[in-house]
Amino acid sequence: MHAFPRSTTSTPAVAVPPSLALPVIEDAFPRNLHPYWPKLQEKTRLWLLEKRLMPADKVAEYADGLCYTDLMAGYYLGAPDEVLQAIADYSAWFFVWDDRHDRDIVHDRAGDWRRLRFRLHAALGSPRHHLHHPDPLVAGFADSVLRLYSFLPDTWNARFARHFHAVIEAYDREFRNRTQGRVPEVEEYLALRRLTFAHWIWTDLLEPSAGRELPDVVRKSPAYRRPALLSQEFAAWYNDLCSLPKEIAGDEVHNLGISLITHQGLTLEEAVAEVRRRVEECIDEFLEAERIALRFADGLDDGTVRGKELGVAVRTCLGNMRNWFSSVYWFHHESGRYMVDSWDDRSTPPYVNNEAAGEK
């Protein structure tokens, strides 16, 4: 059946496979799109070309169908256009980086990965000095980070940088695990996944979307952190559920299902069922955490101007945590990134620049 009547692309709405369908998302998490989305798609496509992050033929054939802008336009609703554009470009960069990381592993390019890792750390600290770096991935990262740094105070910038330094190091741990063929145990994997999926980066970006940095007393409150974490856990685990065939085909070792099979002796069918159970449990827990967080936001409105503005900002962030569920869900069924069965080689995405990556 057509689970969603309005696709964000020019293609018809997709039918969700029964094994991946989540009726509660389709019924209780309405999907919305930022009105800037059509312009966002066009500008991000041009940015990928300008920064040489994808060859022109790959951009023309695959960029829109990968739906990277759809994902962000469904998440950060209410963001000023320039904020959403910076986030969408950064998100597109993140996917390209993830693909480079994968190709460096596949082709055993440890030296290339090590150099890229150090350059990204450096660009995070001084993006302006890396805008013209010869590696397009470094220059594109510097450009997107510099724009993100322009919206909120230096305290937010420092937090974003701290969180992304940790993401880079987590990608390095994943590199070593994959090159050694080491499947992490379940709890180790879950902790690593929170970093490689960049849980706190996407949560940080809720703040420029809402127009203000949240004080520590709000961000560190369990009432705020709990729904934020659950929205990201849902996304990471649902991604694992959808990408399991792709990652088994590519000899991956980082997937909740793969950890369950390897370390808990589950069959493939049992692992799929367990990942799905965790995903559904995450949704239920979010709905309860959301109620608590909304009461918390109401309590911030103490009658002062600052209290009222803070309460509004927190409610905006909470609303977008909710939007993440529907945006992630539909992204996985519309994006060509997960349509493994349509690829000539199930282990090699057709949208990667194979020649530049050293493949023949």
Side-chain angles (χ1 to χ4, degrees), residues 12 22 40 45 93 111 115-116 128 168 183 204 207-208 218 220 226 242 250 276 289 306 326 341 349 355:
L22 296 172
L40 184 74
R45 190 190 317 123
W93 173 88
R115 283 186 288 274
L116 177 59
R128 194 175 300 279
I168 296 169
V183 178
D204 287 339
E207 294 169 63
V218 171
K220 295 182 178 180
R226 180 65 175 160
C242 294
R276 183 185 174 95
R306 178 183 181 278
S326 58
D341 291 339
E355 184 177 346

Side-chain angles (χ1 to χ4, degrees), residues 108-231:
D108 196 24
R109 295 195 294 259
D112 289 347
W113 163 249
R114 184 172 58 253
R115 283 186 288 274
L116 177 59
R117 170 190 166 204
F118 292 145
R119 287 165 179 168
L120 293 178
H121 278 306
L124 197 52
S126 56
R128 194 175 300 279
H129 295 131
H130 290 79
L131 289 174
H132 304 291
H133 194 281
D135 185 337
L137 205 63
V138 176
F141 179 63
D143 178 82
S144 62
V145 167
L146 190 64
R147 289 155 63 201
L148 292 173
Y149 281 177
S150 69
F151 301 121
L152 292 178
D154 288 345
T155 46
W156 184 92
N157 297 347
R159 175 172 22 114
F160 179 92
R162 185 172 67 252
H163 286 161
F164 201 79
H165 281 305
V167 170
I168 296 169
E169 288 306 292
Y171 262 68
D172 186 55
R173 292 201 296 278
E174 181 173 303
F175 188 99
R176 284 182 274 119
N177 283 343
R178 284 185 63 187
T179 54
Q180 295 166 10
R182 178 180 175 274
V183 178
E185 295 193 15
V186 173
E187 290 307 314
E188 178 191 352
Y189 169 75
L190 293 175
L192 181 62
R193 184 65 161 142
R194 290 180 186 121
L195 293 171
T196 57
F197 198 81
H199 280 26
W200 299 115
I201 292 293
W202 306 118
T203 302
D204 287 339
L205 290 168
L206 291 168
E207 294 169 63
S209 300
R212 67 176 299 151
E213 181 182 22
L214 298 178
D216 284 354
V217 68
V218 171
R219 287 190 307 102
K220 295 182 178 180
S221 166
Y224 183 84
R225 285 181 69 86
R226 180 65 175 160
L229 177 62
L230 287 166
S231 72

Side-chain angles (χ1 to χ4, degrees), residues 233-255:
E233 297 280 58
F234 165 81
W237 298 346
Y238 192 67
N239 175 269
D240 279 5
L241 189 64
C242 294
S243 62
L244 187 56
K246 168 190 171 186
E247 293 180 344
I248 288 176
D251 293 324
E252 252 283 11
V253 297
H254 292 94
N255 186 291

Side-chain angles (χ1 to χ4, degrees), residues 4 7 18 22 34 36 41 50-51 67 70 73-74 89 94 105 140 178 193 204 206 252 273 277 283 313:
F4 188 71
S7 173
L22 296 172
H34 197 291
Y36 181 66
Q41 186 182 56
E50 177 192 340
K51 299 302 175 184
C67 301
D70 307 46
D89 291 349
F94 201 114
I105 292 168
R178 284 185 63 187
R193 184 65 161 142
D204 287 339
L206 291 168
E252 252 283 11
R277 184 194 67 78
I283 299 169

